Amino acid sequence: MVSGIVAGRLALVTGAGSGIGRAACQVLSREGATVIAADRNYDSAVETIKTHTALASGSNDGDHSAVELDVSDSSAVRNLLQTTLDQYKAPPTIIVNSAGITRDNWLLKLSEEDYDSVLSVNLKGTFLVMQTFAKAMTETATPGSIINISSIVGKYGNMGQTNYAGSKAGVVAMTQSAAKELGRFNIRVNAILPGFIDTPIIKTVPDKVVQGMLKLVPLGRLGLPSEVAELITFLSSNKSSFITGAAIDVTGGF
Ligand code: NAD
């Protein structure tokens, strides 16, 4: 008998091959969910399922699966819904949008291509996954929880990240709007705004800049992916049953 705060639930996690998405798979599976790990990098999603989910869930290996998905490709997102319905006979009731990229540059130097690619993955990708899977939940009258990973940069801005900050502010506004529309279907939609979390995405930030940022973090350290994943799992579960349209900082106080 599987136990945990999301026992028996099916969860789709994008960006599941690394960092926060991988940690989300780990904690959700520890708490009893069956996890579909989706990533543009298929091998990394397989690695998440094989190594991290099984490790995390101990006796509960679950019926997890790994899939290749580019969240910015609408037909790929629609295909994933279909294969999920074929395999599991029901849509996931937990959706975690963690796929994200950076293409940093000064505003005055930022190329249109780098602007478009960041918006296309971070904002349009979140939109496509949310729309496609929310629709499936409404059609099957299934209550659910959608968690979109924004960023604290979407609230305060950051030098060199006009494209990224814009995309992440958009994720918050989109989350709040979707929460208003989907409440009547008992689908909750929330955003998380991580601060500086120790994952591969921040490896491109010069160490000097990271050290400078850390001086502004009252807890004085980078966050762990698991510290975001615990909140993702709480928001996925019925423990957060009256929370929707929220945008919650996980920043060590930044
Ligand atoms: P990460 O680079 O470790 O993981 C991101 C994952 O997304 C990778 O596995 C990558 O292959 C996947 N991905 C990229 N483009 C994709 C696409 N088009 N389709 C599907 N998958 C794709 O980064 P992370 O730190 O785990 O970031 C996860 C989310 O958290 C991102 O949205 C990021 O913007 C956000 N975030 C991270 C931090 C941080 O400090 N790490 C802070 C704030 C917000």
Coordinates of all heavy atoms in Angstrom, one line a residue, residues 36-136:
I36 N 5.6 11.1 -14.3 CA 6.0 11.1 -15.7 C 7.1 12.2 -15.8 O 6.8 13.4 -15.7 CB 4.8 11.4 -16.7 CG1 3.7 10.4 -16.5 CG2 5.3 11.4 -18.1 CD1 2.4 10.9 -17.1
A37 N 8.3 11.8 -16.1 CA 9.4 12.8 -16.2 C 9.6 13.1 -17.6 O 10.0 12.3 -18.4 CB 10.7 12.1 -15.6
A38 N 9.4 14.4 -17.9 CA 9.5 14.9 -19.3 C 10.6 15.9 -19.5 O 10.7 16.8 -18.6 CB 8.1 15.5 -19.8
D39 N 11.4 15.7 -20.5 CA 12.5 16.6 -20.7 C 12.9 16.6 -22.1 O 12.7 15.6 -22.8 CB 13.7 16.3 -19.8 CG 14.6 17.4 -19.6 OD1 15.3 17.9 -20.5 OD2 14.7 17.9 -18.4
R40 N 13.4 17.7 -22.6 CA 13.9 17.8 -24.0 C 15.1 16.8 -24.1 O 15.3 16.3 -25.2 CB 14.4 19.2 -24.3 CG 14.7 19.5 -25.7 CD 14.9 21.0 -25.9 NE 16.0 21.5 -25.0 CZ 16.4 22.8 -24.9 NH1 15.8 23.7 -25.6 NH2 17.3 23.1 -24.0
N41 N 15.8 16.6 -23.0 CA 16.9 15.7 -23.0 C 16.4 14.4 -22.4 O 16.3 14.2 -21.2 CB 18.0 16.3 -22.1 CG 19.2 15.4 -22.0 OD1 19.1 14.2 -22.2 ND2 20.3 16.0 -21.6
Y42 N 16.1 13.4 -23.3 CA 15.4 12.2 -22.9 C 16.3 11.4 -21.9 O 15.8 10.9 -20.9 CB 15.1 11.3 -24.2 CG 14.6 10.0 -23.9 CD1 13.3 9.8 -23.3 CD2 15.3 8.8 -24.1 CE1 12.8 8.6 -23.0 CE2 14.8 7.6 -23.8 CZ 13.5 7.5 -23.3 OH 13.0 6.2 -23.0
D43 N 17.6 11.3 -22.2 CA 18.5 10.5 -21.4 C 18.5 11.0 -19.9 O 18.5 10.2 -19.0 CB 19.9 10.5 -21.9 CG 20.0 9.7 -23.2 OD1 19.1 9.0 -23.6 OD2 21.0 9.9 -23.9
S44 N 18.4 12.3 -19.8 CA 18.4 12.8 -18.4 C 17.1 12.5 -17.7 O 17.1 12.3 -16.5 CB 18.7 14.3 -18.4 OG 17.6 15.0 -19.0
A45 N 16.0 12.4 -18.5 CA 14.7 12.1 -17.9 C 14.7 10.6 -17.4 O 14.2 10.3 -16.4 CB 13.6 12.3 -18.8
V46 N 15.3 9.8 -18.3 CA 15.4 8.3 -17.9 C 16.3 8.2 -16.6 O 15.9 7.5 -15.7 CB 16.1 7.5 -19.1 CG1 16.4 6.1 -18.7 CG2 15.2 7.5 -20.3
E47 N 17.3 9.0 -16.6 CA 18.2 8.9 -15.4 C 17.5 9.3 -14.1 O 17.6 8.7 -13.1 CB 19.4 9.9 -15.7 CG 20.4 10.1 -14.5 CD 21.3 8.9 -14.3 OE1 21.4 8.1 -15.2 OE2 21.9 8.9 -13.2
T48 N 16.6 10.3 -14.3 CA 15.8 10.8 -13.1 C 14.9 9.6 -12.6 O 14.9 9.3 -11.4 CB 14.9 11.9 -13.5 OG1 15.7 13.1 -13.8 CG2 13.9 12.3 -12.4
I49 N 14.3 8.9 -13.6 CA 13.4 7.8 -13.2 C 14.1 6.7 -12.6 O 13.8 6.1 -11.5 CB 12.5 7.4 -14.4 CG1 11.5 8.5 -14.8 CG2 11.8 6.1 -14.1 CD1 10.6 8.9 -13.8
K50 N 15.2 6.3 -13.3 CA 16.0 5.1 -12.8 C 16.7 5.3 -11.5 O 16.6 4.5 -10.6 CB 17.1 4.8 -13.9 CG 16.6 4.0 -15.0 CD 17.8 3.4 -15.7 CE 17.5 2.6 -17.0 NZ 18.6 2.6 -17.9
T51 N 17.3 6.4 -11.4 CA 18.2 6.6 -10.3 C 17.6 7.4 -9.1 O 17.6 6.9 -8.0 CB 19.5 7.4 -10.7 OG1 19.9 6.9 -11.9 CG2 20.6 7.3 -9.6
H52 N 16.9 8.4 -9.5 CA 16.4 9.3 -8.4 C 15.1 8.9 -7.8 O 14.9 8.9 -6.6 CB 16.4 10.8 -8.9 CG 17.8 11.2 -9.2 ND1 18.7 11.8 -8.3 CD2 18.5 11.1 -10.4 CE1 19.8 12.0 -8.9 NE2 19.8 11.6 -10.1
T53 N 14.2 8.6 -8.7 CA 12.8 8.2 -8.2 C 12.8 7.0 -7.4 O 12.3 7.0 -6.3 CB 11.8 8.0 -9.4 OG1 12.1 9.0 -10.4 CG2 10.4 8.2 -9.0
A54 N 13.5 6.0 -7.9 CA 13.6 4.7 -7.2 C 14.3 4.9 -5.8 O 13.8 4.4 -4.8 CB 14.3 3.6 -8.0
L55 N 15.4 5.7 -5.9 CA 16.1 5.9 -4.6 C 15.2 6.6 -3.6 O 15.2 6.2 -2.4 CB 17.3 6.9 -4.9 CG 18.6 6.3 -5.2 CD1 19.6 7.4 -5.4 CD2 19.1 5.4 -4.1
A56 N 14.5 7.6 -4.1 CA 13.7 8.5 -3.2 C 12.5 7.7 -2.6 O 12.2 7.9 -1.5 CB 13.2 9.7 -4.0
S57 N 11.9 6.8 -3.5 CA 10.7 6.2 -3.0 C 10.9 4.9 -2.3 O 10.0 4.3 -1.8 CB 9.7 6.0 -4.2 OG 10.4 5.3 -5.2
G58 N 12.2 4.4 -2.3 CA 12.4 3.2 -1.6 C 11.6 2.0 -2.1 O 11.8 1.6 -3.2
S59 N 10.7 1.5 -1.3 CA 9.9 0.4 -1.7 C 8.9 0.7 -2.8 O 8.5 -0.2 -3.5 CB 9.2 -0.2 -0.5 OG 8.3 0.8 0.0
N60 N 8.6 2.0 -3.0 CA 7.6 2.4 -4.1 C 8.3 2.8 -5.3 O 8.7 3.9 -5.5 CB 6.8 3.5 -3.5 CG 6.1 4.3 -4.7 OD1 5.8 3.7 -5.7 ND2 5.8 5.5 -4.4
D61 N 8.6 1.8 -6.2 CA 9.2 2.1 -7.5 C 8.1 2.7 -8.5 O 8.5 3.3 -9.5 CB 9.8 0.9 -8.1 CG 11.2 0.6 -7.4 OD1 11.6 1.5 -6.6 OD2 11.7 -0.4 -7.7
G62 N 6.9 2.4 -8.2 CA 5.8 3.0 -9.0 C 5.8 2.6 -10.5 O 6.7 1.9 -10.9
D63 N 4.9 3.1 -11.2 CA 4.8 2.9 -12.6 C 5.3 4.1 -13.4 O 4.6 4.6 -14.3 CB 3.3 2.6 -13.0 CG 3.1 2.2 -14.4 OD1 4.1 1.8 -15.0 OD2 1.9 2.3 -14.9
H64 N 6.4 4.6 -13.0 CA 6.9 5.9 -13.5 C 7.4 5.7 -15.0 O 7.7 4.6 -15.4 CB 8.2 6.4 -12.7 CG 8.0 6.4 -11.2 ND1 6.9 7.1 -10.6 CD2 8.7 5.8 -10.2 CE1 7.0 6.9 -9.3 NE2 8.1 6.1 -9.1
S65 N 7.4 6.9 -15.7 CA 7.9 6.8 -17.1 C 8.7 8.1 -17.4 O 8.5 9.1 -16.8 CB 6.8 6.6 -18.1 OG 5.8 7.5 -17.9
A66 N 9.6 7.9 -18.4 CA 10.4 9.0 -18.9 C 10.0 9.3 -20.3 O 9.8 8.4 -21.1 CB 11.9 8.7 -18.8
V67 N 9.8 10.6 -20.7 CA 9.5 10.9 -22.1 C 10.3 12.1 -22.6 O 10.7 13.0 -21.8 CB 8.0 11.3 -22.2 CG1 7.1 10.1 -22.0 CG2 7.6 12.4 -21.3
E68 N 10.5 12.1 -23.9 CA 11.2 13.2 -24.5 C 10.1 14.3 -24.8 O 9.1 13.9 -25.4 CB 11.9 12.8 -25.8 CG 12.6 13.9 -26.4 CD 13.4 13.5 -27.6 OE1 13.6 12.3 -27.9 OE2 13.9 14.4 -28.4
L69 N 10.3 15.5 -24.4 CA 9.3 16.5 -24.7 C 10.0 17.9 -24.8 O 10.8 18.3 -24.0 CB 8.3 16.6 -23.6 CG 7.3 17.8 -23.7 CD1 6.3 17.5 -24.8 CD2 6.6 18.0 -22.4
D70 N 9.7 18.6 -25.9 CA 10.1 20.0 -26.0 C 8.8 20.8 -25.7 O 7.8 20.8 -26.5 CB 10.6 20.3 -27.5 CG 10.9 21.8 -27.6 OD1 10.6 22.6 -26.7 OD2 11.5 22.2 -28.7
V71 N 8.8 21.5 -24.6 CA 7.5 22.1 -24.2 C 7.0 23.2 -25.1 O 5.9 23.6 -25.1 CB 7.6 22.7 -22.7 CG1 7.8 21.5 -21.7 CG2 8.7 23.7 -22.6
S72 N 8.0 23.7 -25.9 CA 7.6 24.8 -26.8 C 7.0 24.3 -28.1 O 6.6 25.1 -29.0 CB 8.8 25.7 -27.1 OG 9.8 25.0 -27.8
D73 N 6.8 23.0 -28.3 CA 6.3 22.4 -29.5 C 4.9 21.9 -29.2 O 4.7 20.9 -28.5 CB 7.2 21.3 -29.9 CG 6.7 20.5 -31.1 OD1 5.6 20.7 -31.5 OD2 7.6 19.7 -31.6
S74 N 3.9 22.6 -29.7 CA 2.5 22.3 -29.4 C 2.1 20.9 -29.8 O 1.3 20.3 -29.1 CB 1.5 23.4 -29.9 OG 1.7 23.5 -31.3
S75 N 2.5 20.5 -30.9 CA 2.1 19.1 -31.3 C 2.8 18.1 -30.5 O 2.1 17.0 -30.1 CB 2.4 18.9 -32.8 OG 3.7 19.0 -33.1
A76 N 4.0 18.3 -30.0 CA 4.6 17.4 -29.1 C 3.9 17.3 -27.7 O 3.7 16.2 -27.1 CB 6.1 17.7 -28.8
V77 N 3.4 18.4 -27.3 CA 2.6 18.5 -26.0 C 1.3 17.7 -26.2 O 0.9 16.9 -25.3 CB 2.4 20.0 -25.6 CG1 1.5 20.0 -24.4 CG2 3.7 20.6 -25.3
R78 N 0.7 17.9 -27.3 CA -0.6 17.2 -27.6 C -0.4 15.7 -27.7 O -1.1 14.9 -27.1 CB -1.3 17.7 -28.9 CG -2.0 19.0 -28.7 CD -3.0 19.3 -29.9 NE -2.3 19.3 -31.2 CZ -1.7 20.4 -31.7 NH1 -1.7 21.5 -31.1 NH2 -1.1 20.3 -32.9
N79 N 0.7 15.3 -28.3 CA 1.0 13.9 -28.4 C 1.3 13.3 -27.1 O 0.9 12.2 -26.8 CB 2.3 13.7 -29.3 CG 2.0 13.9 -30.8 OD1 0.8 14.0 -31.2 ND2 3.0 14.1 -31.6
L80 N 2.0 14.1 -26.2 CA 2.2 13.5 -24.9 C 0.9 13.3 -24.1 O 0.8 12.3 -23.4 CB 3.1 14.5 -24.1 CG 3.4 14.0 -22.6 CD1 4.1 12.7 -22.6 CD2 4.2 15.1 -21.9
L81 N 0.0 14.2 -24.3 CA -1.3 14.0 -23.6 C -1.9 12.6 -24.1 O -2.4 11.8 -23.3 CB -2.3 15.1 -23.9 CG -3.7 14.9 -23.4 CD1 -3.7 14.7 -21.9 CD2 -4.6 16.0 -23.8
Q82 N -1.9 12.4 -25.4 CA -2.5 11.2 -26.0 C -1.8 10.0 -25.5 O -2.4 9.0 -25.0 CB -2.5 11.3 -27.5 CG -3.4 10.3 -28.1 CD -4.8 10.3 -27.5 OE1 -5.5 11.3 -27.5 NE2 -5.2 9.1 -27.0
T83 N -0.4 10.0 -25.5 CA 0.3 8.8 -25.0 C 0.1 8.5 -23.5 O 0.0 7.4 -23.0 CB 1.8 8.8 -25.3 OG1 2.3 10.0 -24.8 CG2 2.1 8.8 -26.8
T84 N -0.1 9.6 -22.8 CA -0.3 9.5 -21.3 C -1.7 8.9 -21.1 O -1.9 8.0 -20.3 CB -0.3 10.9 -20.7 OG1 1.0 11.5 -20.9 CG2 -0.5 10.8 -19.2
L85 N -2.7 9.3 -21.9 CA -4.1 8.8 -21.7 C -4.0 7.3 -22.1 O -4.7 6.5 -21.5 CB -5.1 9.5 -22.6 CG -5.4 11.0 -22.1 CD1 -6.3 11.7 -23.1 CD2 -6.0 11.0 -20.7
D86 N -3.3 7.0 -23.2 CA -3.2 5.6 -23.6 C -2.6 4.7 -22.5 O -3.1 3.6 -22.2 CB -2.3 5.4 -24.9 CG -3.0 6.1 -26.1 OD1 -4.2 6.3 -26.0 OD2 -2.3 6.3 -27.1
Q87 N -1.5 5.2 -21.9 CA -0.8 4.4 -20.9 C -1.5 4.3 -19.6 O -1.6 3.3 -19.0 CB 0.6 5.0 -20.8 CG 1.5 4.1 -19.8 CD 2.9 4.6 -19.8 OE1 3.4 5.4 -20.6 NE2 3.7 4.0 -18.8
Y88 N -2.0 5.5 -19.1 CA -2.5 5.5 -17.7 C -4.0 5.6 -17.6 O -4.6 5.6 -16.5 CB -1.9 6.7 -17.0 CG -0.4 6.6 -16.8 CD1 0.5 7.3 -17.6 CD2 0.2 5.8 -15.8 CE1 1.9 7.2 -17.4 CE2 1.6 5.7 -15.6 CZ 2.4 6.4 -16.4 OH 3.8 6.3 -16.2
K89 N -4.7 5.8 -18.8 CA -6.1 5.8 -18.8 C -6.8 6.9 -18.1 O -8.0 6.9 -17.9 CB -6.7 4.5 -18.2 CG -6.1 3.2 -18.7 CD -6.2 3.0 -20.2 CE -5.4 1.8 -20.7 NZ -4.9 1.9 -22.1
A90 N -6.0 7.9 -17.8 CA -6.5 9.1 -17.1 C -5.4 10.2 -17.2 O -4.2 9.9 -17.3 CB -6.8 8.9 -15.7
P91 N -5.8 11.5 -17.2 CA -4.8 12.5 -17.3 C -4.1 12.7 -16.0 O -4.7 12.3 -14.9 CB -5.6 13.8 -17.6 CG -7.0 13.5 -17.1 CD -7.2 12.0 -17.2
P92 N -2.9 13.2 -16.0 CA -2.2 13.5 -14.7 C -3.1 14.6 -13.9 O -3.7 15.4 -14.6 CB -0.9 14.1 -15.1 CG -0.8 14.0 -16.5 CD -2.1 13.6 -17.1
T93 N -3.1 14.5 -12.6 CA -3.8 15.5 -11.8 C -2.8 16.5 -11.1 O -3.2 17.4 -10.4 CB -4.7 14.8 -10.8 OG1 -3.8 14.1 -9.9 CG2 -5.7 13.9 -11.4
I94 N -1.5 16.2 -11.4 CA -0.5 17.1 -10.9 C 0.4 17.5 -12.1 O 0.9 16.6 -12.8 CB 0.4 16.5 -9.8 CG1 -0.4 16.1 -8.6 CG2 1.6 17.4 -9.4 CD1 0.3 15.2 -7.6
I95 N 0.5 18.8 -12.4 CA 1.3 19.3 -13.5 C 2.4 20.2 -12.9 O 2.0 21.2 -12.3 CB 0.5 20.0 -14.5 CG1 -0.7 19.2 -15.0 CG2 1.4 20.5 -15.7 CD1 -0.4 18.0 -15.8
V96 N 3.6 19.9 -13.1 CA 4.7 20.8 -12.7 C 5.5 21.3 -13.9 O 6.1 20.5 -14.6 CB 5.7 20.1 -11.7 CG1 6.8 21.0 -11.2 CG2 4.9 19.4 -10.5
N97 N 5.4 22.6 -14.1 CA 6.1 23.2 -15.3 C 7.4 23.8 -14.8 O 7.5 24.9 -14.3 CB 5.3 24.4 -15.8 CG 4.2 23.8 -16.8 OD1 4.5 23.2 -17.8 ND2 3.0 24.2 -16.5
S98 N 8.5 22.9 -14.9 CA 9.8 23.3 -14.5 C 10.8 23.5 -15.6 O 11.9 24.1 -15.4 CB 10.4 22.3 -13.5 OG 11.5 22.8 -12.8
A99 N 10.4 23.2 -16.8 CA 11.4 23.3 -17.9 C 11.7 24.8 -18.1 O 10.7 25.7 -18.1 CB 10.8 22.8 -19.2
G100 N 12.9 25.2 -18.2 CA 13.3 26.6 -18.4 C 14.7 26.8 -18.9 O 15.5 25.9 -18.7
I101 N 14.9 27.9 -19.5 CA 16.3 28.2 -20.0 C 16.6 29.6 -19.8 O 15.7 30.5 -19.6 CB 16.4 27.9 -21.6 CG1 15.4 28.7 -22.4 CG2 16.2 26.4 -21.8 CD1 15.7 28.7 -23.9
T102 N 17.9 29.9 -19.8 CA 18.4 31.3 -19.8 C 19.2 31.5 -21.1 O 19.9 30.6 -21.6 CB 19.3 31.6 -18.6 OG1 20.3 30.6 -18.6 CG2 18.5 31.6 -17.3
R103 N 19.2 32.7 -21.6 CA 20.1 33.2 -22.7 C 20.5 34.6 -22.3 O 19.9 35.6 -22.8 CB 19.4 33.1 -24.1 CG 19.1 31.8 -24.6 CD 20.3 31.0 -25.0 NE 19.9 29.7 -25.6 CZ 19.7 28.6 -24.8 NH1 19.9 28.6 -23.5 NH2 19.3 27.4 -25.4
D104 N 21.4 34.8 -21.3 CA 21.6 36.1 -20.7 C 22.4 37.0 -21.6 O 23.4 36.6 -22.3 CB 22.3 35.9 -19.4 CG 21.5 35.1 -18.4 OD1 20.3 34.9 -18.6 OD2 22.0 34.8 -17.3
N105 N 22.1 38.3 -21.6 CA 22.9 39.3 -22.2 C 22.3 40.6 -21.8 O 21.2 40.8 -21.4 CB 22.9 39.1 -23.8 CG 24.2 39.6 -24.4 OD1 24.9 40.4 -23.8 ND2 24.4 39.1 -25.6
W106 N 23.2 41.7 -22.0 CA 22.7 43.0 -21.7 C 21.6 43.4 -22.7 O 21.6 43.0 -23.8 CB 23.8 44.0 -21.8 CG 25.0 43.7 -21.0 CD1 26.3 43.4 -21.4 CD2 25.1 43.6 -19.5 NE1 27.1 43.1 -20.3 CE2 26.4 43.3 -19.2 CE3 24.1 43.8 -18.5 CZ2 26.8 43.1 -17.8 CZ3 24.5 43.7 -17.2 CH2 25.8 43.3 -16.9
L107 N 20.6 44.1 -22.2 CA 19.5 44.6 -23.1 C 20.0 45.1 -24.4 O 19.5 44.8 -25.5 CB 18.7 45.7 -22.4 CG 17.7 46.4 -23.2 CD1 16.6 45.5 -23.7 CD2 17.1 47.6 -22.5
L108 N 21.1 45.9 -24.3 CA 21.6 46.6 -25.5 C 22.2 45.6 -26.5 O 22.5 46.0 -27.7 CB 22.5 47.7 -25.2 CG 21.9 48.8 -24.3 CD1 22.9 49.9 -24.0 CD2 20.6 49.4 -24.9
K109 N 22.5 44.4 -26.0 CA 23.2 43.4 -26.9 C 22.3 42.2 -27.2 O 22.7 41.3 -28.0 CB 24.5 43.0 -26.3 CG 25.5 44.0 -26.1 CD 26.8 43.4 -25.6 CE 27.9 44.5 -25.6 NZ 29.1 44.0 -24.9
L110 N 21.2 42.1 -26.6 CA 20.4 40.9 -26.6 C 19.8 40.7 -28.1 O 19.2 41.6 -28.6 CB 19.2 40.9 -25.6 CG 18.4 39.7 -25.4 CD1 19.2 38.6 -24.8 CD2 17.2 40.0 -24.5
S111 N 20.0 39.5 -28.6 CA 19.5 39.2 -30.0 C 18.1 38.9 -29.9 O 17.6 38.4 -28.9 CB 20.3 38.1 -30.6 OG 20.0 36.9 -29.9
E112 N 17.4 39.1 -31.0 CA 16.0 38.7 -31.1 C 15.8 37.2 -30.9 O 14.9 36.7 -30.3 CB 15.4 39.2 -32.4 CG 13.9 39.0 -32.6 CD 13.4 39.6 -33.9 OE1 14.1 40.3 -34.6 OE2 12.3 39.3 -34.2
E113 N 16.8 36.5 -31.4 CA 16.7 35.0 -31.3 C 16.8 34.6 -29.9 O 16.0 33.7 -29.4 CB 17.9 34.4 -32.1 CG 17.8 32.9 -32.3 CD 19.2 32.4 -32.8 OE1 20.0 33.2 -33.2 OE2 19.3 31.2 -32.9
D114 N 17.6 35.2 -29.1 CA 17.7 34.8 -27.7 C 16.5 35.3 -26.9 O 16.1 34.6 -25.9 CB 19.0 35.3 -27.0 CG 20.2 34.5 -27.4 OD1 20.1 33.4 -28.0 OD2 21.4 35.0 -27.2
Y115 N 15.9 36.4 -27.3 CA 14.7 36.8 -26.7 C 13.6 35.8 -27.0 O 12.9 35.2 -26.1 CB 14.3 38.2 -27.2 CG 12.9 38.6 -26.7 CD1 12.7 39.2 -25.5 CD2 11.8 38.3 -27.5 CE1 11.5 39.6 -25.1 CE2 10.5 38.6 -27.0 CZ 10.4 39.2 -25.8 OH 9.1 39.5 -25.3
D116 N 13.5 35.4 -28.2 CA 12.4 34.5 -28.6 C 12.6 33.1 -28.0 O 11.6 32.5 -27.6 CB 12.4 34.3 -30.2 CG 11.8 35.5 -30.9 OD1 11.1 36.3 -30.2 OD2 12.0 35.7 -32.1
S117 N 13.8 32.6 -28.0 CA 13.9 31.2 -27.5 C 13.6 31.1 -26.0 O 12.9 30.2 -25.5 CB 15.3 30.7 -27.7 OG 16.3 31.5 -27.2
V118 N 13.9 32.2 -25.2 CA 13.6 32.1 -23.8 C 12.1 32.3 -23.5 O 11.5 31.5 -22.7 CB 14.4 33.3 -23.0 CG1 13.8 33.5 -21.6 CG2 15.9 32.9 -22.9
L119 N 11.5 33.2 -24.3 CA 10.0 33.3 -24.1 C 9.3 32.1 -24.6 O 8.3 31.7 -24.0 CB 9.5 34.6 -24.9 CG 9.5 35.9 -24.2 CD1 8.3 36.0 -23.2 CD2 10.8 36.3 -23.5
S120 N 9.8 31.5 -25.6 CA 9.2 30.3 -26.2 C 9.2 29.1 -25.3 O 8.2 28.4 -25.1 CB 9.9 30.0 -27.5 OG 9.6 28.8 -28.0
V121 N 10.3 28.9 -24.6 CA 10.3 27.8 -23.6 C 9.6 28.1 -22.3 O 8.7 27.5 -21.8 CB 11.8 27.3 -23.3 CG1 11.8 26.2 -22.2 CG2 12.5 26.8 -24.6
N122 N 10.1 29.3 -21.7 CA 9.6 29.6 -20.3 C 8.2 30.0 -20.3 O 7.4 29.6 -19.3 CB 10.5 30.7 -19.8 CG 12.0 30.3 -19.6 OD1 12.4 29.2 -20.0 ND2 12.8 31.2 -19.1
L123 N 7.7 30.8 -21.2 CA 6.3 31.3 -21.1 C 5.4 30.5 -22.0 O 4.4 30.0 -21.5 CB 6.3 32.8 -21.5 CG 5.0 33.5 -21.2 CD1 4.6 33.4 -19.8 CD2 5.1 35.0 -21.7
K124 N 5.7 30.4 -23.3 CA 4.8 29.7 -24.2 C 4.7 28.2 -23.8 O 3.7 27.6 -23.8 CB 5.3 29.8 -25.6 CG 4.3 29.2 -26.6 CD 4.8 29.3 -28.1 CE 4.1 28.4 -29.0 NZ 4.8 28.3 -30.3
G125 N 5.9 27.6 -23.4 CA 5.9 26.2 -23.0 C 5.0 26.0 -21.8 O 4.3 25.0 -21.8
T126 N 5.1 26.9 -20.8 CA 4.2 26.7 -19.6 C 2.8 26.8 -20.1 O 1.9 26.1 -19.6 CB 4.6 27.8 -18.6 OG1 6.0 27.6 -18.2 CG2 3.7 27.8 -17.4
F127 N 2.5 27.8 -21.0 CA 1.1 28.0 -21.5 C 0.6 26.7 -22.2 O -0.5 26.2 -21.9 CB 1.1 29.1 -22.4 CG -0.1 29.2 -23.3 CD1 -1.4 29.5 -22.8 CD2 -0.1 28.8 -24.7 CE1 -2.5 29.5 -23.6 CE2 -1.2 28.8 -25.5 CZ -2.4 29.2 -25.0
L128 N 1.4 26.1 -23.0 CA 1.0 25.0 -23.8 C 0.7 23.8 -22.9 O -0.4 23.1 -23.1 CB 2.0 24.6 -24.9 CG 2.2 25.5 -26.0 CD1 3.4 25.1 -26.9 CD2 1.0 25.6 -26.9
V129 N 1.6 23.5 -22.0 CA 1.4 22.3 -21.1 C 0.2 22.6 -20.2 O -0.7 21.7 -20.1 CB 2.7 22.1 -20.3 CG1 2.4 21.0 -19.2 CG2 3.8 21.7 -21.2
M130 N 0.1 23.8 -19.7 CA -1.0 24.1 -18.8 C -2.4 24.0 -19.5 O -3.3 23.3 -19.1 CB -0.8 25.5 -18.2 CG -1.8 25.9 -17.2 SD -1.2 27.2 -16.2 CE -1.2 28.6 -17.3
Q131 N -2.4 24.6 -20.7 CA -3.7 24.6 -21.5 C -4.1 23.1 -21.8 O -5.2 22.7 -21.7 CB -3.6 25.4 -22.7 CG -4.8 25.5 -23.5 CD -4.6 26.2 -24.9 OE1 -3.8 25.8 -25.6 NE2 -5.4 27.2 -25.2
T132 N -3.1 22.4 -22.4 CA -3.4 21.0 -22.9 C -3.9 20.1 -21.8 O -4.9 19.4 -21.9 CB -2.2 20.5 -23.6 OG1 -1.8 21.4 -24.6 CG2 -2.4 19.1 -24.2
F133 N -3.2 20.1 -20.7 CA -3.5 19.2 -19.6 C -4.6 19.6 -18.7 O -5.4 18.8 -18.2 CB -2.2 18.9 -18.8 CG -1.3 17.9 -19.6 CD1 -0.4 18.4 -20.5 CD2 -1.4 16.5 -19.4 CE1 0.4 17.5 -21.3 CE2 -0.6 15.6 -20.2 CZ 0.3 16.1 -21.1
A134 N -4.8 21.0 -18.6 CA -6.0 21.4 -17.9 C -7.3 21.1 -18.6 O -8.3 20.7 -18.0 CB -5.9 23.0 -17.7
K135 N -7.2 21.2 -20.0 CA -8.4 20.8 -20.8 C -8.7 19.4 -20.5 O -9.9 19.0 -20.4 CB -8.0 21.1 -22.2 CG -9.2 21.2 -23.1 CD -8.9 21.9 -24.4 CE -10.1 21.9 -25.3 NZ -9.9 21.3 -26.6
A136 N -7.7 18.5 -20.5 CA -8.0 17.1 -20.3 C -8.6 16.8 -18.9 O -9.5 16.0 -18.7 CB -6.7 16.3 -20.4

